[in-house]
Amino acid sequence: MTRVITDSLNIKAGEFEGYNRLVTILYRCLHTNQGFQPFFDEFRKQFRCLQGGILGLTHEPMQMAYGWTFGYPEGFEQWFLNSGLAAKDDALLHFSALPPRQFDSLAGCNPDVDILSVVNGETREWVKAVGLGDSAGMLVSEGPAAKVVFLANRHRDEGHYTSTELMQMNMLAPHIENAVGLFHKIYQSRTQHETLAMALDQVGKPMIVLDEMARVVRCNAAADAVLSSHPRLFVTEQSDVRLQSRHQGFNRQLNDAILTSIFNARDGIQDMIALFDQSGDERLAVCVTPLSMEAELDSAEALGQYGALVELVPFSATRTPDIGKLKRLFSCTHAEAITAGHLMHGLSINEAAEAEGLSVHTVRGYVKNLLAKNGYRRQAELVGALVRAIG
């Protein structure tokens, strides 16, 4: 039932008016004690959802281990946790089997499909009872012990989800994955005063938080380990602590990316910037994402705190990309996966075309297809997703 989105459904920046607000609110959830409720409220309004949430599910047997939900009656989480129904829920079974970060509709975005025809057993009784018309969801992440699923049910009076709406959700997917991974650490700690910066210490991915003056607020242990062995990238030791590179050209690019991200955070723009630093066979991808942490969402006078989140992804430049994994994760053809492999190694479209003996027009077409199929607006967003998933 997983579909491939064609170029004709590609979403341009101005065609998804709620995008910037949704992503900004999502990242703000990392700095409050409200869980994902503010994001759910905005997502629910944007996509006319009845209920849903983010659920952590064990593998064998599949049971709900934890969850953040919206729209369900009080006590639902605890009831579902103890009921054992997760292993029989058709929506959860379907979405948990998808490739990561790829939304799908249980009814296949087909207005002629009655959702009752694709569910059975106890799921069918639930669907009938609450008047479900469709369900959209994705696999957020999967680990050795559990997987995380995002789902959003819609009442039948609102109609089925459309392919365009799924494309819009796919634009949010990498941000949801990133935020859930970070918030999970905060949620597990159960400390009300936990912050994003403190939570980074518990995250295995190398990450750095910068404030609105581009100063390093927190550099987690994984990032410290990468920086200690990197020949050029480092954090200054004086009082004005900053992320710098000893390579003058790359340092200029890095500073520009950080400042651009901070300015974008102030303007509610969530464009991610990916840079590549190579030293011999070792390559480091530096992914910079805007962070916005206003105290009040709807107050123009509220004093905002803005910054940037930096992710470091080290890998070998000689490592051959796993084409099969790229095809599976990014819903692409063999030729598109090869192009994706070049992009994640920092090659430009012209360089990828030269490496494969193809025309620039052909490779540009492959990149356009990758963007359209995965819901990204810009090449930098696609590259960031590639290095995060494969690097």
Side-chain angles (χ1 to χ4, degrees), residues 15-287:
E15 295 175 355
F16 185 4
E17 295 180 358
Y19 173 78
N20 287 335
R21 181 169 174 80
L22 276 162
V23 176
T24 298
I25 292 174
L26 176 63
Y27 281 112
R28 285 180 188 149
C29 291
L30 301 174
H31 302 269
T32 72
N33 298 325
Q34 301 180 61
F36 284 103
Q37 192 58 50
F39 175 71
F40 289 152
D41 291 344
E42 191 68 18
F43 189 95
R44 187 177 188 177
K45 183 168 59 176
Q46 176 75 37
F47 295 104
R48 309 189 315 280
C49 305
L50 174 68
Q51 57 195 201
I54 297 169
L55 306 181
L57 306 167
T58 59
H59 288 303
E60 294 292 341
M62 191 169 88
Q63 293 179 320
M64 179 178 162
Y66 61 86
W68 300 276
T69 63
F70 65 91
Y72 293 103
E74 186 176 351
F76 169 82
E77 290 181 19
Q78 191 62 43
W79 171 78
F80 197 69
L81 190 70
N82 299 322
S83 67
L85 290 179
K88 305 173 185 177
D89 189 292
D90 292 285
L92 287 180
L93 290 169
H94 177 69
F95 299 141
S96 64
L98 294 172
R101 306 175 313 281
Q102 183 172 313
F103 274 92
D104 195 19
S105 153
L106 197 59
C109 295
N110 187 343
D112 296 326
V113 171
D114 185 345
I115 196 172
L116 289 174
S117 68
V118 295
V119 299
N120 50 58
E122 295 177 64
T123 301
R124 188 182 182 89
E125 294 304 311
W126 170 264
V127 167
K128 289 169 65 176
V130 300
L132 241 60
D134 199 0
S135 182
M138 76 161 185
L139 175 64
V140 177
S141 61
E142 184 169 10
K147 58 180 66 177
V148 180
V149 172
F150 180 102
L151 80 158
N153 298 327
R154 177 180 276 182
H155 195 273
R156 58 173 170 258
D157 292 344
E158 296 290 349
H160 289 57
Y161 287 108
T162 66
S163 294
T164 297
E165 287 175 320
L166 286 194
M167 174 65 83
Q168 292 174 335
M169 292 179 189
N170 281 338
M171 291 171 64
L172 299 168
H175 296 292
I176 294 173
E177 177 194 30
N178 208 29
V180 168
L182 289 168
F183 199 95
H184 190 195
K185 304 299 178 181
I186 302 172
Y187 182 84
Q188 284 182 319
S189 75
R190 299 187 183 279
T191 302
Q192 288 192 346
H193 301 293
E194 189 73 83
T195 66
L196 169 60
M198 295 171 64
L200 290 185
D201 288 337
Q202 305 176 49
V203 177
K205 293 180 180 180
M207 291 186 174
I208 304 168
V209 171
L210 307 175
D211 66 13
E212 58 189 343
M213 301 300 292
R215 296 171 299 206
V216 173
V217 176
R218 183 63 62 94
C219 184
N220 71 359
D224 279 334
V226 171
L227 295 175
S228 65
S229 62
H230 196 272
R232 292 198 289 253
L233 205 63
F234 67 100
V235 171
T236 58
E237 296 182 356
Q238 57 264 37
S239 57
D240 192 27
V241 184
R242 297 180 183 275
L243 180 64
Q244 300 279 281
S245 173
R246 294 183 178 89
H247 185 279
Q248 186 175 358
F250 187 79
N251 193 56
R252 189 161 49 247
Q253 293 180 48
L254 179 62
N255 288 337
D256 287 348
I258 290 171
L259 290 175
T260 299
S261 292
I262 293 170
F263 292 146
N264 282 344
R266 293 174 181 173
D267 294 334
I269 300 170
Q270 291 297 326
D271 290 343
M272 192 275 297
I273 300 172
L275 305 174
F276 292 87
D277 182 279
Q278 184 172 352
S279 176
D281 290 338
E282 296 307 310
R283 184 161 290 183
L284 183 70
V286 182
C287 302

Side-chain angles (χ1 to χ4, degrees), residues 343-383:
L343 294 180
M344 65 165 282
H345 278 82
L347 272 64
S348 66
I349 288 179
N350 287 358
E351 290 168 334
E354 183 178 351
E356 294 301 319
L358 299 171
S359 71
V360 173
H361 175 76
T362 297
V363 174
R364 188 172 288 117
Y366 292 154
V367 173
K368 183 180 179 182
N369 291 342
L370 285 162
L371 291 169
K373 292 175 180 178
N374 294 280
Y376 301 117
R377 299 174 299 159
R378 300 168 59 251
Q379 186 174 321
E381 292 177 309
L382 171 64
V383 172

